[in-house]
């Protein structure tokens, strides 16, 4: 039977919002909701936050910047994306993003297929507040979920 999910503002499909590299993350749709076809996340990216350089072997990703501005590095090329802009990545594109502004940015991320929500839940369990998990734990988690971390998050010297 088809499923419909309605979430009020601020709600998440997990018991509480997740901490993903210091970004508050709400799971809006997960694999259970979509028969594993997709997952959707709302993230609040504080200033100077963003994931390490990485690549997915299993998921395509779509990013939509709701508020603020983010710099995306895609296969070594930097792109500044403001509110209303989006980025689509097929699996295999090496990427990371960073919020270089003094204000929070807000973004949606959609992944296909939807199993990536499990990675975010596992990442939350090993991530200290406002930071990155220990590298050995991140590498082990990557191996389980088909990711490869290739470098650190973007820093002040990487700003275009």
């Amino acid at each position: 039977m088809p499923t419909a999910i309605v979430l009020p503002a601020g709600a998440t499909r997990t018991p509480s919002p997740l901490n993903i590299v210091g970004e508050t993350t709400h799971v809006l749709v997960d694999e259970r909701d979509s028969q594993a076809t997709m997952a959707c996340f709302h993230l609040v990216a504080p200033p100077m936050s963003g994931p390490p350089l990485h690549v997915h072997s299993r998921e395509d990703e779509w990013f939509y910047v709701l508020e603020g501005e983010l710099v995306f590095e895609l296969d070594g090329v930097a792109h500044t994306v403001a509110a209303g802009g989006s980025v689509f990545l097929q699996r295999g594109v090496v990427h990371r993003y960073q919020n270089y502004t003094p204000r929070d940015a807000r973004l949606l991320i959609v992944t296909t297929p939807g199993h990536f929500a499990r990675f975010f839940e596992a990442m939350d369990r090993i991530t200290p507040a406002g930071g990155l998990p220990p590298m050995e734990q991140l590498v082990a988690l990557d191996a389980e979920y088909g990711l490869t971390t290739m470098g650190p998050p973007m820093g002040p010297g990487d700003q275009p």
Side-chain angles (χ1 to χ4, degrees):
M1 170 172 253
T3 300
I5 303 296
V6 177
L7 293 177
T12 182
R13 300 291 287 148
T14 53
S16 61
L18 305 175
N19 168 25
I20 305 301
V21 299
E23 298 177 354
T24 301
T25 303
H26 289 80
V27 177
L28 304 178
V29 178
D30 71 15
E31 66 187 53
R32 295 166 295 199
D33 303 325
S34 69
Q35 297 179 332
T37 60
M38 57 90 70
C40 182
F41 313 96
H42 175 262
L43 289 80
V44 177
M48 290 309 296
S49 70
L53 186 66
H54 66 283
V55 64
H56 299 252
S57 67
R58 300 177 188 164
E59 296 87 23
D60 297 331
E61 273 185 297
W62 177 71
F63 300 83
Y64 182 79
V65 180
L66 295 164
E67 185 177 307
E69 179 181 281
L70 297 167
V71 175
F72 285 82
E73 181 184 316
L74 312 171
D75 283 336
V77 178
H79 304 268
T80 300
V81 181
S86 69
V87 174
F88 174 73
L89 308 172
Q90 288 186 324
R91 61 198 77 183
V93 175
V94 177
H95 64 283
R96 58 186 169 177
Y97 65 82
Q98 191 75 21
N99 178 4
Y100 285 109
T101 74
R103 297 181 323 274
D104 288 351
R106 297 179 189 281
L107 67 151
L108 292 176
I109 299 176
V110 174
T111 62
T112 60
H115 305 296
F116 196 64
R118 299 297 138 248
F119 173 81
F120 271 2
E121 289 178 24
M123 183 78 151
D124 175 72
R125 288 191 292 274
I126 65 171
T127 302
L132 291 170
M135 189 53 70
E136 63 276 358
Q137 288 182 310
L138 182 57
V139 168
L141 192 60
D142 282 355
E144 184 178 345
Y145 288 93
L147 281 82
T148 303
T149 296
M150 305 174 78
M154 296 169 87
D158 298 312
Q159 187 173 2

